[in-house]
Every structure is written in structure tokens, then in C-alpha cells.
Amino acid sequence: MKTAFLRWLLQEEAAKQKEGFYEEPKVVQEQHHTQPWWKVMCLTGVDYFSTLGYQPGIAALAAGLVAPFATIVLVLVTLFGALPMYRRVAEESPYGDGSISMLERLLSYWPSKLLVLVLIGFVATGFIITITLSAADAAAHMVENPFLKGALGGHQVAVTLVLLILLGAVFLKGFKEAIGIAVVLVLTYLALSALVVGKGLSIIAAHPELISNWTHLLSFKYVSPLAVLGAALLVFPKLALGLSGFETGVVVMPLIQGDATDTPSNPVGRIRNGKKLLTTAALIMSVFLIASSFATTLLIPADAFQPGGEANGRALAYLAHEHLGEVVGTAYDIITIAILWFAGASAMAGLLNIVPRYLPKYGMAPEWSRAHRPLVLIYMMIACLVIILFKANVDAQAAAYATGVLAMMTSAAMAVTLSARKKHQKAQTIMFSIISLIFIYTSAVTIITDPQGLYIALLFILLVLTISIASRVLRSFELRVTNVVLDESAVQLLEDFPVRPLRLVSHHPGRSSIEEYTKQEMRVRQMVHLPEEDPFIFLEVIVDDASEFNDVVEVSAKRVGRYGILVAHGSSVPNTVAALMLHLRGNGAPPQVYMRWTEESPTQLMVDFLIGGRGDVPPLTREILRRAEPDRNRRPIVHVGG
């Protein structure tokens, strides 16, 4: 019997949340959770816009004097690369699955599953580092605040861990009304950021010598404008953090209010409003990125951006304290801390969405992974370990964050390229191919410059693959069939065969001549001791896709001479046979199936079962039936011989 703690942990008594970050489209529609697109933009904006808390400082540290030009390159990639790419994703995947589902649909069988697992590893990297980096930067704003520096100075790791624990506690309790909080936070944060950036630009306008000094230093360091452009292109990959938020934007699409005429198969209004969300967010962020980079580069001493400097990880907050006073500066610290913490909440919600969406349906995660609380505890332990390893340093985590973000952007670019090619759209194929090359280049430069992000991503991928494969092996003996559907021909054949108990004789599909069926009847009657006077129906199982875990078994029938044959389609022969027998047993004597032993080695057969859906069918079928039906008197019978 489960304890009260286990029931709470697995949420057996918990009702559905009223509103959250990510929800299934059906649940959203049924519970009327859709919101205007601009409100949902605020929800995704807590991740996207909050990068202003650290992006200008990271840009100045990485690019120095050319930071504004590198930021312009970033904005161009955003508006003419990421934006059209994700507008296409929104059009083709409007149900909250993002670009991963596009690649899953474009590929098939095991390659699609393995690709999804690898991408989930990169997604986990991006989301975990979002949680830890946001918490670390929030802690940096607290530690550097003049009113708190005396008490918190030198304790950034401890402060970051406390923020993470609070985040975990909130999700363990249950997170509600996310959109309402996000709207208040984002609008306040953007308003105060506009005030700070506007003040900085007004100071630069009032002191034109700041611009002349900057251009003089540029001309001294770089021999020509072409050299400046080259330097900006080289350091641009280090600014890739500013591209985060697009994947979140398509994941939250089920929450977007569409038109009254929208249908589940054709949500035209939701797609249109989803594109509005992505475009508006990209335009707002582009303006802030360029303006903030220009203001911080010209107004903040280079030394202040260095690790331990007052502007490190908090460039706009530094400007707020310097030029708007401690009260406004502290207010900006508070709203920045709040939105950064909430960005961590957004990332946590993304993690809680992506694992239950994919792994359990692949049979690659325990069923308890559909519950949020165990996952929250696991993610929080990993996040705390990352914080300790990186010593809550914002700059040290930047490369790892960029690696996760760029991996997702690259996969999305490839997905839309393949989609355009499949639809024979030549111009779009060329355009998205160029965008793919840009993201491949950016990813490669980021990984070569700082491979730490790749190492972390590979650890996550290894963890995901290990858990997934182990879970798939352990769960292989589950019934794995959600429904059995008999067409008219199958129903008619069974009605014409009233003999009970129902006897089924397995037969390899493809050998469909009358001679083959006659031979199989003779073998079964001799080797499995099926009496001559006992009639039977042949059963053939065709494996459609062995990589699928849960499946619907579809059954049809045919006749060859005097023989009746049931033809079942499923993802695994033993599971399909077991499910069909349980479906056909009725209230009388349970059905019986007659099979022959196979000749291959046990190891080869087990691999064939796990990968090909076949294997040593008789004992596997019996074991699946034993687990599915504990009552021996009701359990279908497996006969085997030969």
C-alpha cells in the first residue's frame, strides 16, 4: 500500500492545475485557458526578455569595443534567420510540440526516436542552464545591491542555492496563474529597462565625446570597417544567448487564443496569432539588444565587466544605480531578480513538459515520470550540482547555455529545411538551408571555443539514453496496446467460427499460398499436438513500426481455400498476439494459441524482440499474458512445440 507521501509525490490526489506554462491543446480548449497572444508573449518573454539582465554584460566581455556591431549581427540573425524559421515551425507544429515533433514526423522508425532522445539531451542542457544561470544572475543582482552587499557579499553560491530551493518548493506545491504573473513582470521589466536604456542614450547624446572616443579606439585597434565587421562576425557566436526564447514561443502555442472558426486540425487563428507573438517579441528584443549594448559599451568602464566587477552579469542594473540613483537602481534590481527567477520557473515548466510528452509514450521512462513532483526533485538536484560546479558564475555558464540554445535552433533550421524540400518549395529550401549553415557555423564556433557546453550536453544525452534504453527493456513485457480494433471482415470471420475455445495457429505473414497453409497445419498438428478434429483460425502478425511502444492493434481477415486467417497489425508480435487473445476471450473459455519454437540463440532473439518486435514469440507472449492477467482461469493459453 502506498504511503500518503508517495501518493502526494505521484500526485494521485492532485487535481489538474488551473493554468500553467505548458498544457496539452485539448486540455487548454476544454478548460478555456486560451489568452490573447500578447499575454502569452509575456509568458514566453520571461525567458526571452530576461536575458537583458546579463546579455549586455556578456556581449561587452566577449566582444569589447565591437559589442554593438556584434549585437547588430545577432539582431540580423534573429530577424532574418530565427524569426522566419520559427514562424514556419509555428505553422507546421501549432500544438505545443515545437521543432522536435517536426523532425520526429519527418523521420521514422528508430532513427526518429534516437534523434528525439539526443535533442531532449540538448533541450535539458538549455533548460537546466537557464535555471542555474538565471538564478546565479539574480543572486548577482542581490549581492551587488548597495543595501544588501554588506550582508550577502561573498555568498553568491549560497544565495543562488536558496533561490533554486525556493523555485523547487513552488513547483512541488503547484504553480498556478503563470500568465497573470508573467504579464505584470514583463511589462514592468520592459518599462524600467526602457527607462534605464533611455537614460543611458540621453547621456551619450548630451556628451558626443563618448562616441568620438569610442570610434577613435575602434580605429586604433582595427585598421578598417571591414576588420570591425570581421571581428563582430567572429565573436557573434558568444552572444547566441540572445536567441533564446523562440522554442519556448512555439511550445506555448496551445495557450494562444485563435479564431472562433478554428478547428483542431486547422487552427488558422492560433497560427496567425502565434506568428504575431514571435514577430513582436523579436522586434522588441532587437531594439533593446542594440540600444542596451550601445549604452553599456560606451558608459561602463571595461574593467567593470570583468569577473568580480560591479557590472559583471548586471550591466543595466549598474547603469540604473549610477545614473538614476539607488532607489531606482534597487527597484530595477528587484524586478530583474523577479523576472530572472521567473525565467527559471519557465525553464522548469519546459522540462516538466518535454519529458512526459515524449519519453513515456516511447516506453523510455517509468510511468511515474508523468507526475511532476519526482521530476522536480531530480531536476533540482542536477541544478544544484551545476551551481556548485560553476560556483554560481554567470560567465562560466554562458557557453553551456549557448550550446543548448544553438543545438535547438540548428535542429529547428534543419526541420524547416527538410519540410520545405519535402513540399518542393525551392526558394524556401534555399533560404532555410542558408539559415541552417549559419546556425551550424555558430554552434561549431561555440563548441570549439568553449567545449564545456558540449560536455554537459553529452552527459545529459548519455543520461537520457541510458535511462531510456533501460526503461524500454524493463517495460517490454507490458501489454503495450491501447486498443484492439476489428474490421468488418474480422468480425464476420469470428461470427462464422462459433467453436469455443477459440484456437489460433500462428503463421508467418507473406507465405500465403494454400500449400503453405496446409504445411503449417500439418506441422502444428504434429509438433504441438493439435487434435485433427479441432478446428482453428490462422493468425498472422505484421510489424508496422517496432520502435513504437503503445499501439492500436488493427485486425482484418481473409480466406485462402478452406482456411480463415486473421491479420493483425502492431508494433510487436508477442504483444499483439497477447492483446488480441485478451480481447477475444469473452466470458467463456479463454482462447488458445499454437506456436512452434524458434531456432536462433536467446541473445539474438532478445535483441530482435527489443529492436525488431519479434524475438522468441511463445515464451514472450506467455510472459506478457501472465503479467496482464493474474487469474489463471481467465488467462489465454499458449501451446508450443517442435
Side-chain angles (χ1 to χ4, degrees), residues 517-641:
Y517 288 115
T518 303
K519 264 195 239 178
Q520 180 68 353
E521 178 187 5
M522 184 179 65
R523 291 192 198 102
V524 168
R525 291 197 185 277
Q526 289 176 349
M527 297 179 181
V528 194
H529 310 295
L530 177 62
E532 287 288 340
E533 65 275 10
D534 289 346
F536 64 87
I537 296 175
F538 277 116
L539 172 61
E540 298 178 355
V541 178
I542 297 173
V543 176
D544 295 324
D545 184 351
S547 67
E548 292 294 328
F549 188 73
N550 292 318
D551 198 13
V552 174
V553 172
E554 297 178 343
V555 186
S556 60
K558 62 181 180 179
R559 291 184 182 273
V560 177
R562 62 190 177 88
Y563 298 110
I565 302 106
L566 289 175
V567 181
H569 289 258
S571 60
S572 163
V573 175
N575 303 82
T576 300
V577 173
L580 180 59
M581 293 178 73
L582 289 169
H583 181 77
L584 295 176
R585 64 184 171 177
N587 296 319
Q592 304 177 20
V593 64
Y594 293 80
M595 303 180 180
R596 296 170 57 205
W597 291 113
T598 47
E599 298 294 329
E600 291 84 358
S601 71
T603 303
Q604 182 182 344
L605 289 168
M606 181 53 69
V607 173
D608 185 39
F609 172 55
L610 294 172
I611 297 177
R614 295 175 181 85
D616 197 359
V617 177
L620 291 169
T621 303
R622 199 269 175 187
E623 178 60 19
I624 293 166
L625 286 169
R626 186 186 69 83
R627 296 191 184 197
E629 177 52 83
D631 185 352
R632 285 189 172 190
N633 296 321
R634 295 276 297 145
R635 187 187 303 155
I637 299 168
V638 178
H639 298 277
V640 61

Side-chain angles (χ1 to χ4, degrees), residues 93-126:
S93 184
Y95 307 107
D97 296 329
S99 59
I100 291 181
S101 70
M102 288 183 64
L103 284 171
E104 183 188 28
R105 291 194 301 269
L106 289 167
L107 298 174
S108 61
Y109 203 58
W110 286 108
S112 71
K113 307 296 187 296
L114 292 174
L115 178 62
V116 168
L117 293 179
V118 171
L119 290 176
I120 286 174
F122 280 111
V123 169
T125 303

Side-chain angles (χ1 to χ4, degrees), residues 407-441:
M408 284 308 304
M409 303 289 276
T410 304
S411 69
M414 294 175 68
V416 296
T417 302
L418 291 172
S419 174
R421 183 181 177 185
K422 188 176 181 180
K423 295 179 179 179
H424 306 291
Q425 297 169 331
K426 189 174 180 181
Q428 289 93 328
T429 301
I430 294 171
M431 179 182 72
F432 290 130
S433 295
I434 294 170
I435 294 171
S436 297
L437 290 174
I438 292 172
F439 282 113
I440 290 170
Y441 157 76

Side-chain angles (χ1 to χ4, degrees), residues 71-91:
T71 302
I72 291 172
V73 174
L74 173 67
V75 167
L76 291 174
V77 171
T78 297
L79 296 179
F80 299 102
L83 180 57
M85 180 174 79
Y86 273 98
R87 282 172 64 91
R88 176 80 178 229
V89 174
E91 186 175 327

Side-chain angles (χ1 to χ4, degrees), residues 10-145:
L10 298 176
Q11 296 174 307
E12 291 184 3
E13 297 172 355
K16 290 281 186 183
Q17 291 184 12
K18 286 184 179 179
E19 184 176 290
F21 282 95
Y22 308 96
E23 296 183 78
E24 295 287 348
K26 185 178 178 182
V27 174
V28 172
Q29 298 298 330
E30 286 176 354
Q31 300 184 21
H32 307 290
H33 290 175
T34 56
Q35 298 282 352
W37 65 267
W38 64 270
K39 287 188 176 182
V40 183
M41 182 191 71
C42 292
L43 182 61
T44 185
V46 296
D47 177 17
Y48 192 27
F49 299 140
S50 68
T51 57
L52 289 170
Y54 46 82
Q55 175 74 13
I58 289 175
L61 188 62
L65 294 170
V66 299
F69 295 106
T71 302
I72 291 172
V73 174
L74 173 67
V75 167
L76 291 174
V77 171
T78 297
L79 296 179
F80 299 102
L83 180 57
M85 180 174 79
Y86 273 98
R87 282 172 64 91
R88 176 80 178 229
V89 174
E91 186 175 327
E92 298 200 16
S93 184
Y95 307 107
D97 296 329
S99 59
I100 291 181
S101 70
M102 288 183 64
L103 284 171
E104 183 188 28
R105 291 194 301 269
L106 289 167
L107 298 174
S108 61
Y109 203 58
W110 286 108
S112 71
K113 307 296 187 296
L114 292 174
L115 178 62
V116 168
L117 293 179
V118 171
L119 290 176
I120 286 174
F122 280 111
V123 169
T125 303
F127 278 141
I128 287 289
I129 301 299
T130 298
I131 293 169
T132 58
L133 189 147
S134 298
D137 198 45
H141 281 76
M142 294 175 69
V143 169
E144 292 296 331
N145 182 274

